[in-house]
Amino acid sequence: MARGILRIFLGAAPGVGKTYAMLTEGRVQAAAGVDVVAGIVLDRGRAQIRDQLAGLEQLPTRNISYRDVDYAELDVAALLARRPALALVDEYAHSNVPGAGNAKRWQDVEELLAAGIDVYSTLNVEHLASLGDVVEAITGVRKQETVPDEVVRRADQIELVDLPPELLRQRLSAGKIYAPDKVDAALANDFRLGNLTALRELALLWLADRVEEGVARYRQSHGIEASWPTRERIVVGLTGGPEGDYLLRRAARILSRVSGGELLAVHIPRSDGVAGNSPQELEAQRQLVTDLGGTYHSVGGDDPAEALLDFARSVGATQIVIGSSRRKPWRGIFAGPGVGTKVVRDAGDIDVHMVPHPLGGKGRAALGRGELNSSRVGAGFALALVLPVLVQLGAGHLSLQLAMLIQFAAAIAVALVGGLRPAVAAAVWSSLLLNFYSAPPVGTLTISDPENLLALGIFLVTAVAVALAVDKSARRSREAARAGAEAATLSELARGILASQDTVQVFLEQVREHFGMRTAVLFSRDGPGLSAWHPDASVGEDPPRTPEEADNVEEVSDHWVLGLGGRILPASDRRLLGAFGAHLMALEQREALTVSQRENLQLAQDNKIRTSVLRAVSHDLRTPLAGIKLAVSSLRQSDVRFSAEDEAELLATIEHYSDRMDALVGNLLDMSRLSADMVSPVMGPVTWPEVLPAALRGVSDERIRRELPPNMPPVEADPGLLERVIANIVENAVKYAPDSEVLVVGSVGGSGSATVAGRPASELRIVDHGKGVPDANVMAMFRPFQRLDDVSYGAQGGTGVGLGLAVAKGFTEVMGGVLEAEQTPGGGLTMIIRLPLSTGAGLETP
């Protein structure tokens, strides 16, 4: 069965018209004869949405009760049974309530797509997982509902629904997005002009990156190597020399003239023995690239110019910045064109800036260093033809022995330039010239003196032997230089990995870049020969699904295999790939040790909590049980008749100790959930008056005084968790201030006096006039199993396990709020619950 098509309507903020655009497209499809069903679309009181829904078949939602509140969720089973051609599913990032099946709505959509049903859905850019920290920096709020970027990238179509921030604020003010009582809070918070502008830019940039990925795939599939300058990208070639800082700053100045450009620095370790690679300089330049907002890369290749151009084309570079050559100008006669000359010659439509610097033309390099390429071999043959003739012309009047020595030196010079074959040719040609012009009889190839024949023979053999030795030494030198380049590459790779958090991903990306591959994949399996290989991590486009599909495979261990796709690696690169594999194994082992360390720390913390629980339960649970048993045993005595007052007192004792046990067990369970990160709040708009009655149940009205301003805006919270927070704090206030009235005061910080992570917030203060807690012990008061008596004046014997405030603080932070304590003027303690104002985030529609 063919997989369905997913189309996502992406927007920067609520209210830009994503749901409206989705419904409009749905109506167009329905008018064209397509079977369209609205799986779940929430109008939230918007007349425009209701008008668009009119005429479309709407599937009834599935109502699920959670914590005494009914929630409408997508009925996946009913939609699969109905099997429309196109389903409209609002809120792609929505978190389903427990009992709905899948945890996230995008997982519901995956089921529909797998069944061959096309889906239209909506999404805000703030819900993308990779942008969570950026969105938090902009809005001050960390979004709990997120979708993995990889899931969104798999969408067949992503359409941006855009609206200028000024128009969006006008729509909000007109009541077209939120209810009138939420407009002011929204304008002062999420819908500030700066917030909306930044989110809009974020959406545009994210979608531009996806479009660019599509362009890259198109170019690759059609074999297009020419650069398409869709965005200004400057690649800086680094040698490791001190001129790198100058080149980077020059490139940054060029890039500052345009907006939206990228700076990429690339270092290609030289394998030809040319000096200039300083690890200290490279590390400083790597840091400078980061400070300038660019990225650092290291790629390999026998020809630096070709490797630099391949990298520039792969990233779609528009400009290349390189330094002028440091070698002497005369070396081009023998060694061929330099890196800069090759880059300029072969750059094609990429602009090249060759920047002069103080070290230009002042390098030191000897003949015979560098790659023995075709140009050097050709130069060697040319020199083998010309140099012996010139030497013979200059040494024609000298003796045969002296002429032999000079021709011998010429043969060695040819070997240094062109290697073995030109040197052998030079030796043979020199011997013929010596025979014709220097050995008697002169002018013929006849040799009359046997000693001269022996001398010429020794000359030829010695010249060939020396040429062979020089060529072998040069090859060994090149091998040593290649090994040094490989060591430098591994060193750079290690530094880059140690400075990163996602080590395996960074490792794979650098391996892919170094070898110029399309993709790199780490495959793993549970046991050798017992299970199939499956991808564990990958980078690049179109990764292979099995090692057999990869172009290059390196076995790291029995459990891991490294695969590369794009081209077949030459034998000279296989050794370096093996070294990368060994490095990867060490990284995997280090990550496994890190995970094990975290697990051990968690186990140690759990054991500590378990020990404290047992210690507390042994006393605090036994006391109410003993009181209950004593009261029940007294009531069951048949030979004793209690008065109505005594019987009521015993029943009250049972009720009191039962309440204590219920609170104790509830706090223990809550603390265990917090320790295991299993608390999932269902956020929504809540007002303080809505939760106070349930939170203060069981507390005498004579002990509580409430001062809540009328028409307080709602906060963003989970009603059930907020009720527990208030109940625990009030219980402590009543317990430790028995002779004091407990005051509950509400206030709003819309003007900025009270904020949470930069957002306007509302406060609930619970004030008592008891003993209070010294400032030095306020932080200890929130630790688990810590009684207030233990941190105030050293008193012992307090009731309770000491979990109430720890649970309250944990629940408050889970809801994105803050719980603080401060001294009450005149004595006592004031607990402050601060939560961000709600802008309808729990009810918004994309």
Side-chain angles (χ1 to χ4, degrees):
M1 180 183 298
R3 177 180 170 87
I5 295 175
L6 174 61
R7 182 176 181 180
I8 294 178
F9 294 84
L10 179 70
V16 296
K18 297 179 297 298
T19 303
Y20 188 89
M22 178 184 70
L23 292 174
T24 301
E25 288 296 323
R27 292 174 65 90
V28 171
Q29 295 295 326
V34 178
D35 184 14
V36 180
V37 171
I40 182 168
V41 178
L42 304 179
D43 61 61
R44 295 174 179 79
R46 302 176 189 175
Q48 302 95 327
I49 302 298
R50 287 195 298 269
D51 293 341
Q52 289 293 91
L53 274 172
L56 290 176
E57 179 183 348
Q58 300 182 50
L59 191 74
T61 57
R62 181 184 174 192
N63 292 323
I64 300 176
S65 179
Y66 180 68
R67 292 180 177 172
D68 299 328
V69 179
D70 290 334
Y71 295 91
E73 298 291 354
L74 175 66
D75 196 336
V76 180
L79 197 53
L80 290 173
R82 170 64 176 77
R83 294 193 61 81
L86 173 62
L88 308 181
V89 180
D90 212 356
E91 290 190 337
Y92 192 59
H94 172 74
S95 296
N96 297 330
V97 297
N102 295 315
K104 300 288 185 179
R105 183 162 292 167
W106 65 262
Q107 295 171 326
D108 297 338
V109 172
E110 287 295 314
E111 290 190 31
L112 300 178
L113 296 173
I117 301 174
D118 295 345
V119 178
Y120 288 179
S121 191
T122 58
L123 178 69
N124 279 336
V125 70
E126 60 192 10
H127 295 299
L128 290 166
S130 66
L131 302 179
D133 55 340
V134 182
V135 172
E136 184 178 9
I138 295 172
T139 65
V141 180
R142 186 89 171 172
K143 291 295 180 181
Q144 301 298 323
E145 294 182 332
T146 59
V147 183
D149 286 50
E150 184 62 30
V151 175
V152 181
R153 286 194 183 99
R154 290 203 301 262
D156 301 274
Q157 301 172 22
I158 302 178
E159 178 178 332
L160 180 66
V161 182
D162 188 35
L163 190 67
E166 295 81 3
L167 294 181
L168 185 57
R169 285 172 58 88
Q170 289 179 15
R171 292 194 66 217
L172 177 65
S173 300
K176 295 181 178 180
I177 300 177
Y178 293 147
D181 60 337
K182 298 177 182 177
V183 170
D184 291 338
L187 288 172
N189 187 29
D190 288 345
F191 282 75
R192 294 194 302 267
L193 187 61
N195 281 16
L196 296 177
T197 303
L199 291 174
R200 187 189 189 198
E201 180 182 8
L202 202 60
L204 291 170
L205 291 175
W206 188 90
L207 191 60
D209 289 338
R210 306 291 75 75
V211 173
E212 188 174 349
E213 290 175 0
V215 172
R217 286 193 296 268
Y218 178 85
R219 290 175 55 202
Q220 181 180 356
S221 62
H222 289 74
I224 300 174
E225 295 185 358
S227 176
W228 288 4
T230 56
R231 183 188 299 185
E232 199 71 34
R233 287 187 181 86
I234 299 182
V235 171
V236 183
L238 300 178
T239 65
E243 74 276 7
D245 288 6
Y246 184 72
L247 299 180
L248 289 171
R249 299 184 191 280
R250 172 65 68 87
R253 288 196 296 270
I254 296 174
L255 198 61
S256 66
R257 301 167 189 164
V258 298
S259 60
E262 294 182 24
L263 176 64
L264 301 94
V266 57
H267 172 240
I268 304 167
R270 297 293 297 264
S271 59
D272 56 5
V274 176
N277 185 348
S278 169
Q280 294 78 13
E281 292 284 356
L282 280 175
E283 186 61 32
Q285 290 163 16
R286 181 201 297 270
Q287 184 60 47
L288 177 59
V289 171
T290 303
D291 295 341
L292 294 174
T295 56
Y296 179 90
H297 308 265
S298 177
V299 301
D302 293 331
D303 187 343
E306 182 181 352
L308 177 61
L309 288 172
D310 287 344
F311 176 82
R313 294 189 184 101
S314 68
V315 299
T318 56
Q319 301 183 55
I320 297 176
V321 175
I322 54 176
S324 58
S325 177
R326 283 186 285 171
R327 71 179 187 177
K328 301 294 184 181
W330 57 264
R331 289 203 64 235
I333 301 175
F334 302 102
V339 174
T341 304
K342 291 180 182 179
V343 170
V344 173
R345 182 189 65 196
D346 301 331
D349 55 355
I350 303 177
D351 298 337
V352 179
H353 302 265
M354 186 175 290
V355 181
H357 55 87
L359 297 179
K362 299 181 180 180
R364 295 180 300 166
L367 285 174
R369 304 291 291 273
E371 179 188 3
L372 195 61
N373 50 31
S374 58
S375 61
R376 280 190 55 187
V377 173
F381 276 113
L383 196 63
L385 179 65
V386 175
L387 188 59
V389 175
L390 297 177
V391 169
Q392 190 62 42
L393 289 176
H397 63 284
L398 301 176
S399 64
L400 176 63
Q401 291 77 11
L402 187 57
M404 283 184 183
L405 290 176
I406 298 176
Q407 290 285 11
F408 184 74
I412 295 177
V414 172
L416 290 172
V417 173
L420 178 61
R421 290 182 296 163
V424 172
V428 173
W429 178 230
S430 298
S431 65
L432 292 176
L433 291 175
L434 288 170
N435 184 11
F436 191 85
Y437 291 105
S438 297
V442 176
T444 69
L445 295 177
T446 303
I447 301 177
S448 59
D449 189 350
E451 291 185 1
N452 291 338
L453 178 62
L454 179 62
L456 285 173
I458 293 174
F459 164 78
L460 179 61
V461 172
T462 304
V464 171
V466 170
L468 183 63
V470 170
D471 180 76
K472 187 175 182 180
S473 174
R475 292 182 185 276
R476 291 287 177 85
S477 176
R478 287 192 293 273
E479 291 175 359
R482 176 179 288 275
E486 292 176 355
T489 299
L490 291 174
S491 176
E492 288 186 30
L493 184 68
R495 286 197 299 269
I497 289 173
L498 291 175
S500 173
Q501 297 294 328
D502 193 2
T503 55
V504 174
Q505 290 293 127
V506 171
F507 178 90
L508 291 176
E509 180 61 30
Q510 295 200 19
V511 171
R512 186 191 69 80
E513 284 185 351
H514 180 84
F515 291 110
M517 290 295 175
R518 183 188 72 253
T519 183
V521 186
L522 176 64
F523 297 99
S524 64
R525 63 180 177 183
D526 298 331
L530 300 179
S531 58
W533 293 102
H534 57 85
D536 194 49
S538 66
V539 294
E541 298 292 335
D542 191 21
R545 291 168 294 183
T546 62
E548 290 75 17
E549 297 180 8
D551 296 319
N552 306 275
V553 176
E554 178 66 29
E555 184 175 346
V556 179
S557 67
D558 292 337
H559 302 279
W560 294 310
V561 164
L562 177 62
L564 302 179
R567 63 182 176 89
I568 304 297
L569 283 178
S572 59
D573 289 332
R574 296 294 304 185
R575 183 179 64 179
L576 184 57
L577 181 60
F580 282 166
H583 203 147
L584 177 59
M585 184 175 180
L587 286 176
E588 286 281 5
Q589 291 173 347
R590 190 184 73 176
E591 287 198 348
L593 289 175
T594 302
V595 172
S596 177
Q597 182 183 22
R598 286 198 297 264
E599 291 176 349
N600 290 336
L601 290 175
Q602 184 62 44
L603 286 174
Q605 182 66 21
D606 292 344
N607 287 333
K608 181 179 179 181
I609 292 178
R610 188 178 297 109
T611 302
S612 300
V613 168
L614 293 175
R615 185 185 305 118
V617 167
S618 64
H619 175 268
D620 293 276
L621 193 59
R622 184 180 301 170
T623 300
L625 282 175
I628 293 173
K629 186 177 185 306
L630 178 61
V632 171
S633 299
S634 301
L635 290 173
R636 293 189 60 189
Q637 292 183 16
S638 58
D639 55 343
V640 178
R641 296 183 62 86
F642 293 97
S643 64
E645 293 79 5
D646 293 337
E647 185 174 335
E649 183 178 353
L650 289 173
L651 291 174
T653 300
I654 295 173
E655 183 179 16
H656 170 70
Y657 282 124
S658 298
D659 290 340
R660 281 183 55 183
M661 287 182 60
D662 179 67
L664 171 63
V665 173
N667 282 332
L668 289 173
L669 292 176
D670 289 338
M671 198 64 225
S672 65
R673 289 169 58 204
L674 286 169
S675 300
D677 293 329
M678 295 179 62
V679 179
S680 300
V682 180
M683 306 294 285
V686 181
T687 62
W688 299 115
E690 291 176 353
V691 295
L692 280 178
L696 301 180
R697 187 187 302 118
V699 181
S700 174
D701 291 339
E702 298 178 355
R703 297 292 314 275
I704 301 294
R705 180 160 58 94
R706 309 180 195 185
E707 293 182 2
L708 298 178
N711 300 322
M712 291 187 67
V715 295
E716 192 73 13
D718 181 308
L721 297 184
L722 184 56
E723 177 188 325
R724 290 298 308 277
V725 170
I726 298 173
N728 283 0
I729 295 175
V730 171
E731 179 186 355
N732 276 277
V734 170
K735 181 189 305 181
Y736 290 97
D739 302 324
S740 164
E741 182 182 52
V742 177
L743 178 63
V744 179
V745 183
S747 63
V748 181
S751 62
S753 58
T755 60
V756 175
R759 293 182 59 185
S762 178
E763 290 182 350
L764 188 72
R765 292 174 171 259
I766 301 173
V767 184
D768 69 63
H769 293 279
K771 295 181 178 180
V773 177
D775 292 336
N777 296 334
V778 167
M779 294 305 298
M781 180 178 64
F782 292 107
R783 289 201 297 261
F785 306 103
Q786 182 68 65
R787 297 182 178 92
L788 286 178
D789 285 336
D790 301 335
V791 297
S792 56
Y793 300 97
Q796 301 294 329
T799 61
V801 186
L803 285 175
L805 291 183
V807 170
K809 185 175 180 63
F811 281 174
T812 305
E813 292 175 350
V814 164
M815 293 185 291
V818 176
L819 178 61
E820 298 176 340
E822 63 182 32
Q823 298 290 336
T824 301
L829 189 67
T830 298
M831 303 295 294
I832 306 168
I833 307 170
R834 187 177 298 122
L835 291 170
L837 294 179
S838 173
T839 59
L843 298 173
E844 69 186 37
T845 183

